[in-house]
Each structure stands twice: as C-alpha cells, then as structure tokens.
Amino acid sequence: MFLKNYTSDVPVDRTIARIEAVLIRCGVSAIEKEYGPTGEPVSLIFRMRVANGTVARVRLPADASKAEAALWGNYVDGEALTADGKLPWNSKKRKKRRDFAEQAGRTAWRIVQDWVEVQLSMIQLGQAEVEQVFLPYIWDDRRKRSFYDAIRQDGYLALAPASEAPAELTEHAT
C-alpha cells in the first residue's frame, strides 16, 4: 500500500496553520475550523470566490479515525487478528492500534495540506478552475452536507449516464 506522509512528525496545529497561510495567499475571504468531540480539529471551512462572482463555502475534512484504520491495516499487513481486532499474543509485532492515533491525525492533515497546495498551484497555472477542484467540497450550510454528499445521497442521479464511445474511438481500439 502506498501511504504518503505516514511518518510525519509535524504537529497538526502547525500543518493547519500552513494550510491557512496558503489559502490566505490565494485570496480566501474567511477561514474557520470545526472540532470533534474530544477537541481535535476535523475540518477547515473557507470562503472563496468562484467564476460567477459568488462566494462559495468549501469544507475540507481530515478524518483521523479512517487514517488510523489505514495505518493499522498497513502495519498488520494481512496478519490474522483476534475477534476484537487485536494482534494475537504470539505476534512479533508489538504496536497496538491506539499507538497509531496521533500519527493518524498528523498524516491526515499533511495529506490535506499537500492536496490544497497542489490544487491551488493548478489553479494559479491555469490548469484548473476553482470549481473544478473544490466542487465536491462546496458546503451547503442549510443541509449540512457537501456537494459530493448531496450527489451520493441522491444515488448519483445528477451525473449524466456514460454514453457509448464515439465511433472514431472504438475504431482505434481494435
């Protein structure tokens, strides 16, 4: 499995500060943070002007619990676990799943930072527009969901069905 930033030792608050600095340099008009039940940051929400002049709210989540599950899965690497999800007593691996909790937060936020920097670079180089990269994360405050969540919850009906390939494409495939 390829996992980027899985050894990052940069604290979450420093990574979030870096993301905020990049967003500010790129013209966002406001930034806020959301926190989980134990006080850990779970998302950044920022306002950014889109092509038609509208200001959109964009919510970028970082799910440390999913990152922890991925890091743990990578560590156990197919080894049989007990019924409660632990390594068996005779395993040579000594770490426990909880050992990955802090690393998961650092890794999740570093990946968000890398993604934001790349997306904003693409926008600045004219390779993409704001809406192209941030559309799935546009946040609807009334419904408390992202654009992607809305499409998924509606069974992806907003997506056009795939049409058959044009004849000139199928001719070259043979």
Side-chain angles (χ1 to χ4, degrees), residues 16-65:
I16 290 173
R18 167 75 181 176
I19 296 168
E20 290 173 325
V22 169
L23 289 170
I24 290 166
R25 269 200 328 244
C26 292
V28 304
S29 59
I31 302 173
E32 59 188 270
K33 296 180 198 97
E34 288 182 319
Y35 295 91
T38 58
E40 77 285 0
V42 295
S43 68
L44 282 178
I45 299 176
F46 60 91
R47 290 189 183 114
M48 183 174 245
R49 191 167 305 283
V50 294
N52 69 356
T54 302
V55 175
R57 291 190 62 177
V58 178
R59 181 179 183 270
L60 298 177
D63 192 332
S65 64

Side-chain angles (χ1 to χ4, degrees), residues 63-75:
D63 192 332
S65 64
K66 288 183 181 175
E68 181 182 337
L71 291 172
W72 174 248
N74 190 55
Y75 177 72

Side-chain angles (χ1 to χ4, degrees), residues 79-95:
E79 191 166 333
L81 302 176
T82 62
D84 58 357
K86 297 177 182 175
L87 287 165
W89 67 272
N90 60 348
S91 174
K92 293 182 188 220
K93 296 179 179 179
R94 293 291 157 224
K95 289 185 178 181

Side-chain angles (χ1 to χ4, degrees), residues 48-51 58 120 123 128-135 138:
M48 183 174 245
R49 191 167 305 283
V50 294
V58 178
L120 292 172
I123 292 165
E129 294 180 23
V130 171
E131 300 84 355
Q132 283 179 289
V133 296
F134 290 118
L135 186 62
I138 300 242

Side-chain angles (χ1 to χ4, degrees), residues 107-147:
T107 299
W109 280 107
R110 289 300 285 190
I111 290 171
V112 171
Q113 176 191 323
D114 289 350
W115 185 85
V116 167
E117 289 174 348
V118 168
Q119 300 311 316
L120 292 172
S121 295
M122 289 182 66
I123 292 165
Q124 290 175 351
L125 290 172
Q127 305 302 300
E129 294 180 23
V130 171
E131 300 84 355
Q132 283 179 289
V133 296
F134 290 118
L135 186 62
Y137 299 98
I138 300 242
W139 187 248
D140 181 344
D141 251 345
R142 276 186 308 116
R143 294 188 179 103
K144 301 292 184 212
R145 64 183 187 177
S146 68
F147 185 75

